[in-house]
Amino acid sequence: MLSFFFIELCLIEYCMVEYCPSHLAAAAVYTAQHTINRIPSWNTTLRHHSGYTETHLRYIYITLNVCMRWSTHSNSYVYPVTFIHTTLRRIKIVHL
């Protein structure tokens, strides 16, 4: 569910247009895994099925975190309403 939020974030950010959809999807899964502190964030099964290594996804991971920071400081109501859940009231900001 969290990775869907990251994909939605990518759809409205112009800086994400340069990446192919499979790269964005893999980076969204990696970012979600890292956000919920799943160790390891990117294992051999994910690498095999996506075709991307953790180093390929690192730059998009950082860009997604920047987009999350912008979304928490903006006056737009698109972001908070998108990911409202009864147990998850807000999005965890990952500190780099």
Side-chain angles (χ1 to χ4, degrees):
M1 189 73 172
L2 188 58
S3 58
F4 290 131
F5 170 76
F6 291 129
I7 287 295
E8 287 181 10
L9 217 103
C10 292
L11 290 175
I12 59 174
E13 294 297 332
Y14 184 73
C15 61
M16 296 297 200
V17 172
E18 64 183 278
Y19 302 107
C20 63
S22 63
H23 203 169
L24 289 175
V29 170
Y30 174 75
T31 306
Q33 298 274 54
H34 196 272
T35 302
I36 61 173
N37 296 325
R38 184 158 297 171
I39 304 294
S41 297
W42 198 250
N43 58 26
T44 56
T45 304
L46 292 169
R47 185 177 63 220
H48 171 74
H49 288 292
S50 69
Y52 297 109
T53 63
E54 192 170 354
T55 55
H56 287 120
L57 306 174
R58 194 78 181 144
Y59 182 73
I60 298 179
Y61 166 75
I62 293 168
T63 309
L64 275 172
N65 280 299
V66 169
C67 292
M68 274 195 320
R69 287 191 180 96
W70 288 341
S71 72
T72 57
H73 298 312
S74 71
N75 293 329
S76 173
Y77 292 105
V78 173
Y79 298 107
V81 172
T82 302
F83 200 64
I84 276 192
H85 192 272
T86 56
T87 58
L88 303 171
R89 292 286 179 194
R90 51 182 256 171
I91 296 151
K92 177 183 173 186
I93 301 298
V94 177
H95 300 287
L96 301 175

